[in-house]
């Protein structure tokens, strides 16, 4: 690929970005599109919509850029949570490190690559991109010392920035635990694989076990029920509404809307059958006693303090590790209820099966990736499609096909990956939604690194050398030969999957089409409660993949670095805008996506150093090769230090922190109030209305009177 083809790809993507962002700035001003572009705000505040006709509504503006830029980290933390702030900090880290790499690469490395050999250069538009890579430096050149210095500067800067980010985010996570409102999950333990007994129910077994071994700290428990019970709840939803309203009128009190499946209470109610509902004087009774046949071998066990719950979740409860398995409970809104009933003995098989399915899917994807890489080679393309030989003789068509089409085709194939990985993560048996998303994020990251980076690097003629990857000593040499040759494809991929995807993210085309279909075709208002949570499993792997490409090409092909800085700068504004206006934070992991980003960055640095060593070996520069090895060792040692110093805080909670929080609650007299709320925190089948029960489980007389439609009651399964 030459410079002209690269500029053609850049021009097409810049034009698309300007068009889409201009269209976004117009569409976001239309009141009918508020459900798409301000979903998070509408989910929090219900207000009147004014639809004044003015010319300003149809003129592109950059007001959203100003708002995103002015939003501080504290505001973002308060509005979107710690996970959102961690994601933005990852982008800020990328801007900083690649700004440093751009200065070093463009002013130190690029001129040496360009004049690396004595040759007659062409005019810049016709110049091949290969002359800007390290491949253009002659063998045994003394100029490789500059490449080593650049590698040291970039790696040292990255490690220093990683250290300060890890330290800062560790403090934020501790503050998230200690300063946030009382979290019921701190007092709850999820118990699975409860032994079956013919003499007593699962509930009695749990009560007897924890009363015996945790008599001083055990508070209560709540069984997990089979999801088939929901059918009864759905069929009786209207009758429940009538019973609640009639009871509140007769007793003149505020009824407690608490499901009998979700803890014992004197105010719990029963799902009435059609026969029972017709009997006069029917009283509400607890359905807990009649639900034993629907119990799973899993339960939430509540303790009197955080420290006791944490100890119980970490201790081996039985001499048989497959019985009485305990884990820290997820937050109530984070629980993935349908996976709690999976027999614990199946989980190991599910994990192995999903791992095999992931690997198989990765290798099945080799076909599309090899096909895409073939589009960048004219000879290979004309052999596959002889009838387009005449079209490819035209310069502009040639530039579009080789410079733009491959990255577009690959991007379309990659859109199928996140849904597949999310399905595999669900089948894996995660007990929480955030755990499922973290698992999917890791799978997508591995998939994109393998298929977008390694397979593209080794495709074509290098795919025949795939067996050399299994010989350790040949890995640096193979990658060192292949990566510089693939630099042109990665540049166009940054344009298409980077710049254009950010503009598409702003537009939200699928949600926009869906909402307009509901509004204008079905004549229905889109539900405000349908606001989405941020797709970390899609966006985080993309950001980390660009970081990998940037580190690996920083010394080998530094021309890509300015384009990456532009991408991360736009991403900083785009994602902040989306967190502020679009996505709703339904659950928060407390910043646990940062260790994934840290490990991916360390892997990128190590891989970049291995590839550089391979290039130095191919170029017969023994001195440069020897100077790079200590840098590799220091990077690994730095990662080990961070793993020992910071990672345990993200993986566990310190005992002193939990005991201090327990002591503060005891001194303030809030323990009794917390214990009462635990009884209704984890409600598997919660009956709520669109007009009441949004802040808690109580229904006031005023809100009950305002609800006129019994069909507005819906059943939330999770």
């Amino acid at each position: 690929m030459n410079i002209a083809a690269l500029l053609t790809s850049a021009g097409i993507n810049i034009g698309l970005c300007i068009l889409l962002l201009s269209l976004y700035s117009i569409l976001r001003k239309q009141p009918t599109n508020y459900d798409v572009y301000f979903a998070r705000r509408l989910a929090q505040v219900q207000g009147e919509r004014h639809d004044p006709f003015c010319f300003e509504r149809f003129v592109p503006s950059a007001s959203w850029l100003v708002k995103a830029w002015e939003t501080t980290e504290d505001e973002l933390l308060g509005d979107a949570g710690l996970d959102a702030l961690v994601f933005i900090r990852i982008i800020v880290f990328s801007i900083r490190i690649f700004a440093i790499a751009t200065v070093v690469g463009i002013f130190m490395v690029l001129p040496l690559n360009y004049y690396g050999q004595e040759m007659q250069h062409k005019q810049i538009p016709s110049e091949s991109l290969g002359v800007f890579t390290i491949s253009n430096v002659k063998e045994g050149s003394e100029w490789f010392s500059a490449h080593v210095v650049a590698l040291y500067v970039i790696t040292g800067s990255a490690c220093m920035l990683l250290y300060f980010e890890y330290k800062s985010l560790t403090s934020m996570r501790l503050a998230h635990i200690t300063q946030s409102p009382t979290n019921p999950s701190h007092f709850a333990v999820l118990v699975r694989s409860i032994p079956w007994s013919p003499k007593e129910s699962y509930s009695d077994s749990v009560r007897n076990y924890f009363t015996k071994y945790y008599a001083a700290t055990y508070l209560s428990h709540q069984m997990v029920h089979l999801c088939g019970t929901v059918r009864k709840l759905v069929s009786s939803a209207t009758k429940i509404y009538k019973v609640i309203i009639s009871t509140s009128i007769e007793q003149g009190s505020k009824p407690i809307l608490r499901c009998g499946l979700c803890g014992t209470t004197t105010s719990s109610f029963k799902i009435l059958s059609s026969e029972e509902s017709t009997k006069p004087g029917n009283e509400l009774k607890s359905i807990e006693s009649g639900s034993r046949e629907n119990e799973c071998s899993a339960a939430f066990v509540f303790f009197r303090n955080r420290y006791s719950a944490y100890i119980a979740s970490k201790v081996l409860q039985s001499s048989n590790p497959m019985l009485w398995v305990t884990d820290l409970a997820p937050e109530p809104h984070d629980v993935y209820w349908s996976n709690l009933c999976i027999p614990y003995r199946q989980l190991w098989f599910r994990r192995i099966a999903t791992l095999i399915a992931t690997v198989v899917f990765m290798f099945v994807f080799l076909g599309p990736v090899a096909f895409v890489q073939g589009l960048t080679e004219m000879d290979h393309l004309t052999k596959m499609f002889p009838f387009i030989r005449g079209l490819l003789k035209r310069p502009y068509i040639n530039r579009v096909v080789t410079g733009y089409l491959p990255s577009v085709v690959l991007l379309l194939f990659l859109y199928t990956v996140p849904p597949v990985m999310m399905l595999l993560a669900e089948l894996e048996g995660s007990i929480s939604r955030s755990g499922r998303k973290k698992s999917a994020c890791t799978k997508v990251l591995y998939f994109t690194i393998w298929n977008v980076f390694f397979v593209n690097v080794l495709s074509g003629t290098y795919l025949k050398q795939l067996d050399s990857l299994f010989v350790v000593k040949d890995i640096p040499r193979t990658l060192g030969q292949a990566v510089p040759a693939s630099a042109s494809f990665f540049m166009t991929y940054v344009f298409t999957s980077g710049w254009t995807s950010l503009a598409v993210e702003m537009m939200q085309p699928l949600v926009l089409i869906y909402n307009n279909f509901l509004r204008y075709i079905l004549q229905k208002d889109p539900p405000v409660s349908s606001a989405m949570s941020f797709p970390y499993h899609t966006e985080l792997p993309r950001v980390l993949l660009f970081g990998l490409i940037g580190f690996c090409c920083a010394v080998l092909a530094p021309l890509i670095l300015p384009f990456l800085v532009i991408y991360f700068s736009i991403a900083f504004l785009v994602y902040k805008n989306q967190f502020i206006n679009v996505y709703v934070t339904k659950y928060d992991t407390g910043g646990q996506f940062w260790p994934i980003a840290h490990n991916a960055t360390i892997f990128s640095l190590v891989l970049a150093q291995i590839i550089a060593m391979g290039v130095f070996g191919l170029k017969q520069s023994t001195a440069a090769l020897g100077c790079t090895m200590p840098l590799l060792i220091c990077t690994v040692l730095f990662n080990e230090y961070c793993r020992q110093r910071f990672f345990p805080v993200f993986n566990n909670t310190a005992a002193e922190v939990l005991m201090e929080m327990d002591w503060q609650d005891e001194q303030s007299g809030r323990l009794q109030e917390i214990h009462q709320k635990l009884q209704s925190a984890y409600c598997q089948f919660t009956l709520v209305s669109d007009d009441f029960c949004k802040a808690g489980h109580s229904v006031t007389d005023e809100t009950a009177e305002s609800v006129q439609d019994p069909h507005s009651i819906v059943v939330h399964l999770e």
Side-chain angles (χ1 to χ4, degrees):
M1 182 188 297
N2 55 25
I3 294 294
L6 178 66
L7 294 177
T8 300
S9 177
I12 293 174
N13 286 279
I14 290 173
L16 284 175
C17 289
I18 294 175
L19 175 63
L20 292 176
L21 292 178
S22 300
L23 189 59
Y24 162 77
S25 66
I26 295 175
L27 292 176
R28 71 190 296 269
K29 299 177 185 179
Q30 313 309 314
T32 56
N33 295 329
Y34 287 170
D35 300 293
V36 179
Y37 301 117
F38 299 97
R40 193 190 72 84
R41 294 191 179 187
L42 289 179
Q44 292 180 341
V45 179
Q46 292 290 337
E48 298 181 0
R49 299 188 185 184
H50 301 283
D51 191 11
F53 182 84
C54 60
F55 181 72
E56 185 181 357
R57 279 176 44 196
F58 302 94
V59 177
S61 63
S63 59
W64 66 273
L65 287 171
V66 177
K67 176 61 177 176
W69 176 263
E70 293 178 347
T71 301
T72 64
E73 288 190 351
D74 292 336
E75 293 174 345
L76 184 64
L77 180 63
D79 291 341
L82 185 56
D83 286 342
L85 180 58
V86 165
F87 185 83
I88 295 299
R89 292 288 287 267
I90 293 171
I91 296 177
V92 172
F93 162 80
S94 302
I95 295 174
R96 291 171 177 170
I97 185 58
F98 287 114
I100 297 173
T102 299
V103 174
V104 175
I106 296 299
F107 294 102
M108 179 187 295
V109 178
L110 188 63
L112 300 181
N113 291 346
Y114 187 72
Y115 296 105
Q117 294 189 20
E118 297 179 0
M119 59 180 295
Q120 186 68 31
H121 290 282
K122 303 177 183 179
Q123 294 182 352
I124 294 298
S126 302
E127 194 71 86
S128 173
L129 289 176
V131 301
F132 296 97
T133 68
I134 200 172
S135 301
N136 196 49
V137 182
K138 63 182 180 180
E139 296 181 357
S141 174
E142 296 179 354
W143 290 359
F144 284 115
S145 59
H147 295 79
V148 175
V149 172
L151 197 59
Y152 266 85
V153 172
I154 294 172
T155 303
S157 301
C159 291
M160 182 177 64
L161 292 173
L162 279 175
Y163 173 80
F164 288 117
E165 287 293 334
Y166 222 147
K167 184 177 181 181
S168 175
L169 292 175
T170 299
S171 301
M172 290 185 180
R173 174 170 169 80
L174 292 175
H176 171 79
I177 295 174
T178 58
Q179 299 177 8
S180 59
T182 303
N183 192 339
S185 64
H186 292 170
F187 297 83
V189 172
L190 176 63
V191 182
R192 288 178 291 175
S193 191
I194 303 170
W196 181 82
S197 173
K199 299 180 180 179
E200 57 185 7
S201 65
Y202 283 126
S203 180
D204 294 335
S205 297
V206 172
R207 183 182 297 105
N208 295 336
Y209 180 89
F210 284 93
T211 301
K212 179 179 180 180
Y213 295 106
Y214 296 89
T217 57
Y218 167 71
L219 181 64
S220 62
H221 72 277
Q222 172 189 316
M223 297 304 303
V224 177
H225 294 77
L226 294 173
C227 295
T229 310
V230 179
R231 297 172 184 173
K232 298 179 181 179
L233 299 174
V234 174
S235 62
S236 304
T238 303
K239 299 170 186 177
I240 294 172
Y241 171 81
K242 294 179 180 179
V243 169
I244 295 174
I245 299 302
S246 61
T247 304
S248 62
I249 294 176
E250 293 175 1
Q251 298 180 357
S253 61
K254 301 178 181 180
I256 304 297
L257 186 57
R258 184 178 298 168
C259 181
L261 293 173
C262 309
T264 58
T265 173
T266 57
S267 305
S268 55
F269 57 85
K270 177 183 179 182
I271 307 299
L272 300 177
S273 63
S274 57
E275 293 81 3
E276 291 174 325
S277 61
T278 58
K279 296 180 180 180
N282 209 329
E283 299 179 356
L284 298 177
K285 298 179 181 179
S286 173
I287 65 173
E288 184 179 11
S289 59
S291 60
R292 292 181 179 178
E293 66 276 8
N294 296 318
E295 291 179 348
C296 297
S297 60
F300 288 97
V301 179
F302 305 109
F303 291 82
R304 298 185 180 278
N305 54 64
R306 298 173 180 85
Y307 180 74
S308 300
Y310 186 80
I311 294 300
S313 68
K314 298 297 181 181
V315 173
L316 186 65
Q317 302 294 333
S318 171
S319 57
N320 183 355
M322 302 298 290
L323 296 177
W324 295 106
V325 180
T326 55
D327 295 286
L328 283 174
E331 295 182 6
H333 294 291
D334 194 18
V335 178
Y336 199 72
W337 292 99
S338 59
N339 279 354
L340 299 187
C341 294
I342 298 175
Y344 186 77
R345 297 176 185 272
Q346 288 185 11
L347 292 181
W348 70 272
F349 174 76
R350 284 173 172 260
R351 294 190 182 103
I352 295 176
T354 53
L355 176 61
I356 295 174
T358 303
V359 174
V360 170
F361 185 57
M362 290 171 63
F363 280 94
V364 168
F365 216 79
L366 287 176
V369 175
F371 168 76
V372 167
Q373 190 63 21
L375 296 179
T376 62
E377 301 177 8
M378 293 302 303
D379 296 336
H380 183 71
L381 191 60
T382 53
K383 289 180 181 179
M384 293 177 58
F385 307 101
F387 57 89
I388 64 172
R389 189 184 302 271
L391 289 175
L392 294 179
K393 292 181 179 179
R394 301 179 181 180
Y396 181 75
I397 299 297
N398 190 332
R399 296 170 188 171
V400 172
V401 171
T402 60
Y404 181 70
L405 186 61
S407 55
V408 172
V409 175
L410 180 60
L411 183 62
L412 294 177
F413 279 120
L414 289 175
Y415 275 125
T416 63
V417 176
V420 174
M421 295 305 177
M422 183 63 83
L423 176 61
L424 292 177
E426 179 180 349
L427 296 176
E428 203 171 31
S430 176
I431 62 175
S432 65
R433 294 178 173 274
S434 60
R436 179 187 60 165
K437 188 163 288 189
K438 277 182 57 182
S439 177
C441 178
T442 305
K443 289 179 173 60
V444 174
L445 178 61
Y446 292 158
F447 183 93
T448 52
I449 289 176
W450 168 250
N451 282 283
V452 177
F453 185 80
F454 285 104
V455 176
N456 272 288
V457 165
L458 300 170
S459 60
T461 57
Y462 298 105
L463 195 58
K464 300 176 183 178
Q465 303 176 11
L466 188 61
D467 57 341
S468 63
L469 281 180
F470 298 97
V471 182
V472 177
K473 65 178 182 179
D474 292 337
I475 292 177
R477 183 179 297 271
T478 303
L479 294 176
Q481 186 179 1
V483 171
S486 304
S488 58
F489 170 78
F490 291 132
M491 290 183 189
T492 59
Y493 184 77
V494 170
F495 299 152
T496 305
S497 182
W499 296 2
T500 307
S501 66
L502 290 176
V504 173
E505 167 66 26
M506 293 290 291
M507 281 290 297
Q508 295 285 311
L510 296 180
V511 182
L512 184 65
I513 294 173
Y514 173 74
N515 279 24
N516 282 282
F517 177 79
L518 288 179
R519 190 181 302 277
Y520 297 110
I521 304 300
L522 301 183
Q523 301 296 318
K524 295 181 179 179
D525 290 331
V528 176
S529 59
S530 62
M532 303 177 296
S533 60
F534 187 76
Y536 291 99
H537 65 293
T538 301
E539 304 305 318
L540 184 57
R542 179 184 288 121
V543 171
L544 297 178
L545 174 65
F546 287 143
L548 172 70
I549 294 173
F551 284 119
C552 291
C553 296
V555 175
L556 309 184
L559 194 61
I560 197 176
L561 295 175
F563 303 119
L564 283 173
V565 173
I566 294 173
Y567 163 75
F568 286 118
S569 300
I570 299 174
F572 173 75
L573 298 174
V574 167
Y575 287 121
K576 282 184 72 173
N577 176 80
Q578 300 300 85
F579 281 124
I580 296 169
N581 297 318
V582 178
Y583 294 110
V584 174
T585 302
K586 299 180 179 179
Y587 43 82
D588 201 309
T589 67
Q592 292 188 7
F593 287 102
W594 171 252
I596 298 176
H598 173 86
N599 294 335
T601 304
I602 294 295
F603 172 79
S604 302
L605 291 172
V606 171
L607 181 62
Q609 295 159 12
I610 292 175
I611 294 173
M613 292 169 60
V615 174
F616 296 149
L618 289 171
K619 293 295 184 177
Q620 300 179 1
S621 179
T622 307
L625 178 61
C627 292
T628 308
M629 294 183 65
L631 181 63
L632 177 63
I633 296 173
C634 291
T635 305
V636 174
L637 291 177
F638 168 76
N639 180 58
E640 182 63 21
Y641 170 78
C642 291
R643 193 177 69 84
Q644 298 292 335
R645 170 63 180 85
F646 299 115
F647 180 70
V649 179
F650 286 81
N651 197 36
N652 299 285
T653 305
E656 62 179 6
V657 173
L658 296 175
M659 297 180 73
E660 181 68 22
M661 295 172 67
D662 289 334
W663 181 81
Q664 291 177 0
D665 289 338
E666 186 176 356
Q667 292 296 317
S668 62
R670 296 178 60 247
L671 274 180
Q672 188 66 26
E673 178 185 354
I674 293 173
H675 292 166
Q676 292 177 355
K677 291 182 178 179
L678 289 176
Q679 306 297 324
S680 58
Y682 290 88
C683 193
Q684 185 173 0
F685 309 120
T686 306
L687 297 177
V688 297
S689 169
D690 292 336
D691 298 293
F692 59 90
C693 290
K694 292 183 179 179
H697 295 282
S698 62
V699 182
T700 63
D701 295 334
E702 292 80 2
T703 54
E705 293 175 358
S706 64
V707 179
Q708 302 297 331
D709 185 11
H711 300 286
S712 63
I713 297 180
V714 295
V715 178
H716 292 267
L717 305 184
E718 298 162 350

